[in-house]
Every structure is written in structure tokens, then in C-alpha cells.
Amino acid sequence: MIIYRIEEEKEINLLERYKELQEKENSILIAYKEETGLYTIKYLHAGVDFTNELYRNARGLTLDEDGNVIIRGFEKFFNYKQFDNKDYYNYPEEFVNQYTKVNADLTDELTFIEKLDGSLILLSVYKDEFIAATTSSSYNDFTIRALKWFNSLDTKNEIKQYIKDNKVTLAFEYVSPINQIVVRYEEEDYRLIGEHENETGVRSSQEKLDELAEKFKLNRPKYYKMTLGKAIKDLNILKGIEGFVLENTYGKLIKFKVEDWFKSKGETGIFFSDKITKRKIIIVINALINDELDDLIALENQNPLYKKRGILNQILKAVEKFYSEIAYYQDKTKDLPLKEIYAYLKSVNAPKQIFNPVLSERRGEAWKDKVLQGDFEVPYYQLAKIMSDYAVYYGLKVKD
């Protein structure tokens, strides 16, 4: 069991640590599933402080009631030079270098790994049976399908015993014609992309993964040997691939995504003019909620013209203003009975759009979490609609 010590010298396990973080910052989703009796931890949005390792590891991390790690996913990894744009981030230089830089010359030949365009599936063993998780849950349609697939393998017993003996989680990318995001794959497959020690989080080398794949008859992503300069150039010309992943000299994974992938997904259009439209607002809000904002920022950083237009920054500043207003009126009404809050907000001419969030928070409904968890059929509907309807109020000059 992983134990932490806090100021009062009280011992606290990992699950309790995340519950404290959830209560303090309201930026963590702790999803309990009765079907498995386990808790899966996920950060809720890209605005959290990633210098905190609790947030970086909150991607499919699955714990039992005692805080033991049953499933561990990847530590959050970022895009190449993602933090260079100070409009969005202000992380310490040491952190920026460690997590987003490559200590190599443009002419140095490096080994890149194909970034598959699928869904992450994490596989471990719990109570002598396979257990699977996505980044947010240990029981859903994706995990049910994955368990059926792994239990059908001829090597299932060997895989299960290996996981038990070594106390690890195996990470796979699920690709399939029926799970197409952008890149099309002809056959359903779970390709081995990682192995993590459950307690320590130590990640295995690519060479080790190759050995495991051969031993258990699993498939792996492709390798690409090329210079850093060529990789950067190829981001603007390659098609039919999401991108590459590279391990830097600090042992951190870094993403490189090709522009055509964004174009095929319909997201590059937000940069084609300096006009703000409701569609652009929805695309940015969608990325914010689905933890894909870092990809759009990376794409903007790759193109000087996109960066100059500053579309992302304008929309995100509007969202920040909206959240600030909610926080302001929450503080103003914190000592009022619930039944008096509406009347107070009306009497001080508070913006209409903050009424529901402020009241929901007081009722303990955590309106923001509901949107960010994807509980709506269109998960970004509420926030996107607010930002669209009140765009002018928040300083956005919408031209549709």
C-alpha cells in the first residue's frame, strides 16, 4: 500500500490523498464502480497544475478501498514545446525542459514510435481475473469488450500470470474499424504500448515491450528512425497517421502530432481566419473538456500564422472570465441560506449565466464536473452554449 504523510504526521493512503485533492480543488473525478469495487481517478480538465504528480498520474489510475494501486496508466505526457507559449502556461523552466523538450540537435537521428489513433485500454489482474480500465472508468463498454478479447487469447493464462507475478499494468491502444477517430484501421486489435509497475509507476523500455509482444503474440506500433528536423518537417506533410512519440533524455514521453490529423478531425479550420465563430468556440470548448486542448495549442505553436491570430487565447480568456465570475459570486453568497441566493444574485444584477452554476455548486451538484465527465449526450453542450450565447459579453466578437 502506498502511504503518504501530511503535516500532522497522520498516515494517509493514495485514495484518501485524491479525495482530499478533490475536496480542495474540485479538479479530480473519482469514479467508483460497484461492478468492480474499485475507484478510477482522472483529472477533469487541462487547467490543473501538472507540476503536482497526483494530477500527472490521474489517467486511469485505479485503486481499491485501501488505496492499493490495481491499475496504473501513463503519466501525463505533453506535446513537443507545448509550454513555450506563455499565453497558456507559466510552468517553471525545469519542468518545461523535462516534459516538453528534446535535448538533441535537429540533425541527430532519433527513434520515434508511431502514435496510434485509438483508445487507451489498461489491463491488470484483480482477484485472479483480468481487470481493465479506460482513462476514467474500470467498467464500461470499452473495458467489457477488451476483457472479452483478452480472455479469448491463446496466451491469456501466461499474460495473467506474468501480470500477477510482476505486479504490473499492461497498456494497449485499441484500434478498430468500428472505433475510428481519424485514422482508419482495417482490423480490430489491441496493440501493446506500455508496461507500468503498479506501485512505483516505473515504465518499461520499448525493448522490453518488444520482448513481451513476441512472447505473448501481441502487436506493437511501428518504429521510425529519423532526425529531429525531419520529424518536425513531416508534421506538416504526413497523412494517414496521428503522429509520433519520443522518449527524451529525462525519460519522459513527448508527443508530435501531424497537421493533417487535425485537419481530418475538422479542427484546423479554427485557425484559418481571425474571425471568432460559434463553431470555433464549440471546437475549443470540446478540446478543453476532452483533455485535447494541449494538442490544439501544439498545432498553433507549429504554425506562426496560427499563433499570430491568437484564436485559442481569446476563447480561453473568455472561459477564464466566466469561471472567475462564478467563483466571485460563490464567495459572495457562501454565508447565505440556499433559498436566498437567487434573490441576492438578482438584486445585484449578477450575470444570468452564472445563476445555475452558483446554485448547483451550493446544492452540491458540481455542475462543472457533470459537464466535464461527459454525462451529457453532447458533453460540452452546457459550457459551449453559455460561451456562444454570451460571447459578446465576454469580449468575443462573433461573426457567423
Side-chain angles (χ1 to χ4, degrees):
M1 182 191 304
I2 299 176
I3 297 292
Y4 293 86
R5 292 187 181 277
I6 54 178
E7 293 178 1
E8 296 83 0
E9 292 299 317
K10 172 188 173 184
E11 290 190 346
I12 178 170
N13 69 38
L14 190 54
L15 179 58
E16 291 168 339
R17 187 84 180 273
Y18 273 110
K19 286 181 177 179
E20 284 193 350
L21 187 62
Q22 182 190 47
E23 183 176 350
K24 180 181 178 182
E25 300 187 12
N26 198 26
S27 296
I28 286 288
L29 165 65
I30 301 177
Y32 176 74
K33 290 295 182 180
E34 291 185 3
E35 295 86 349
T36 61
L38 299 174
Y39 301 81
T40 298
I41 318 295
K42 185 181 186 299
Y43 61 83
L44 285 173
H45 54 78
V48 300
D49 179 9
F50 283 117
T51 61
N52 184 338
E53 67 174 345
L54 289 177
Y55 282 124
R56 293 199 307 275
N57 287 297
R59 300 183 73 247
L61 181 67
T62 301
L63 313 172
D64 65 14
E65 289 185 351
D66 296 321
N68 297 304
V69 179
I70 307 301
I71 300 173
R72 183 182 287 275
F74 286 95
E75 179 184 32
K76 169 72 174 175
F77 57 99
F78 305 92
N79 288 283
Y80 177 59
K81 292 189 174 182
Q82 179 179 328
F83 299 148
D84 284 11
N85 193 330
K86 299 303 181 184
D87 286 338
Y88 307 115
Y89 305 104
N90 190 26
Y91 284 121
E93 184 177 356
E94 181 180 0
F95 182 82
V96 171
N97 289 336
Q98 186 175 356
Y99 283 89
T100 67
K101 298 294 180 69
V102 177
N103 187 18
D105 294 329
L106 293 177
T107 55
D108 289 345
E109 186 172 82
L110 304 170
T111 301
F112 294 80
I113 305 157
E114 175 187 13
K115 189 177 191 310
L116 297 165
D117 187 26
S119 301
L120 177 66
I121 295 293
L122 302 167
L123 183 73
S124 192
V125 173
Y126 181 59
K127 295 182 178 179
D128 294 325
E129 297 296 336
F130 281 136
I131 182 81
T134 59
T135 57
S136 60
S137 170
S138 62
Y139 189 84
N140 54 47
D141 290 343
F142 282 98
T143 64
I144 293 170
R145 190 179 190 91
L147 291 176
K148 183 177 180 181
W149 192 87
F150 284 108
N151 278 309
S152 72
L153 297 178
D154 293 339
T155 56
K156 66 178 181 181
N157 292 329
E158 291 91 334
I159 296 173
K160 189 180 296 183
Q161 193 62 48
Y162 174 83
I163 292 174
K164 286 176 60 178
D165 291 345
N166 293 277
K167 297 181 174 61
V168 296
T169 296
L170 298 181
F172 297 84
E173 191 82 358
Y174 170 55
V175 296
S176 169
I178 64 171
N179 185 47
Q180 182 176 352
I181 299 173
V182 172
V183 180
R184 177 166 180 80
Y185 297 92
E186 297 301 325
E187 296 180 357
E188 182 180 54
D189 197 8
Y190 292 81
R191 299 186 189 175
L192 181 64
I193 60 172
E195 179 189 39
H196 312 106
E197 291 182 6
N198 284 342
E199 186 161 336
T200 66
V202 171
R203 179 170 46 80
S204 295
S205 67
Q206 299 301 322
E207 291 78 12
K208 173 73 177 299
L209 296 178
D210 289 340
E211 293 173 4
L212 293 177
E214 183 176 1
K215 179 179 181 180
F216 298 133
K217 300 178 182 178
L218 302 168
N219 293 321
R220 291 269 289 136
K222 298 175 184 176
Y223 285 101
Y224 297 86
K225 285 189 176 293
M226 55 186 161
T227 65
L228 178 59
K230 185 178 188 306
I232 294 171
K233 182 180 178 181
D234 283 354
L235 297 181
N236 298 316
I237 58 177
L238 283 179
K239 299 181 186 297
I241 183 175
E242 181 178 349
F244 315 111
V245 176
L246 175 71
E247 183 174 316
N248 69 7
T249 52
Y250 293 97
K252 303 302 180 182
L253 298 178
I254 297 178
K255 296 182 287 185
F256 295 74
K257 288 201 171 186
V258 302
E259 183 163 348
D260 183 71
W261 183 84
F262 290 102
K263 183 178 179 181
S264 299
K265 202 177 178 186
E267 294 180 344
T268 54
I270 69 171
F271 300 111
F272 287 169
S273 76
D274 56 6
K275 294 179 180 179
I276 300 290
T277 65
K278 289 188 176 182
R279 180 176 179 275
K280 289 182 179 183
I281 292 173
I282 289 173
I283 289 173
V284 175
I285 298 300
N286 187 19
L288 174 67
I289 289 167
N290 291 314
D291 190 31
E292 296 171 348
L293 184 62
D294 56 349
D295 294 333
L296 286 183
I297 292 172
L299 176 60
E300 185 182 71
N301 285 341
Q302 288 169 206
N303 190 308
L305 180 57
Y306 295 172
K307 191 172 181 178
K308 181 179 178 181
R309 286 175 175 152
I311 298 295
L312 289 178
N313 194 32
Q314 293 179 62
I315 296 173
L316 292 174
K317 280 185 175 179
V319 175
E320 184 179 354
K321 182 179 178 181
F322 173 56
Y323 283 153
S324 295
E325 285 181 335
I326 294 170
Y328 174 81
Y329 285 105
Q330 283 174 338
D331 183 65
K332 287 292 185 181
T333 59
K334 64 183 179 182
D335 296 324
L336 292 177
L338 176 61
K339 62 182 180 181
E340 296 179 14
I341 293 178
Y342 181 86
Y344 170 81
L345 294 175
K346 195 171 181 179
S347 71
V348 297
N349 294 317
K352 293 180 181 179
Q353 63 272 21
I354 62 92
F355 278 50
N356 181 52
V358 171
L359 289 166
S360 295
E361 288 280 1
R362 173 57 75 85
R363 288 193 291 262
E365 295 175 353
W367 73 278
K368 188 166 54 175
D369 292 1
K370 288 184 177 181
V371 177
L372 297 175
Q373 288 174 23
D375 288 349
F376 295 91
E377 183 176 351
V378 183
Y380 52 92
Y381 171 77
Q382 182 173 340
L383 182 54
K385 186 176 189 304
I386 289 171
M387 298 314 302
S388 296
D389 290 350
Y390 295 91
V392 175
Y393 172 87
Y394 288 109
L396 296 175
K397 297 179 180 178
V398 176
K399 299 178 182 179
D400 279 331

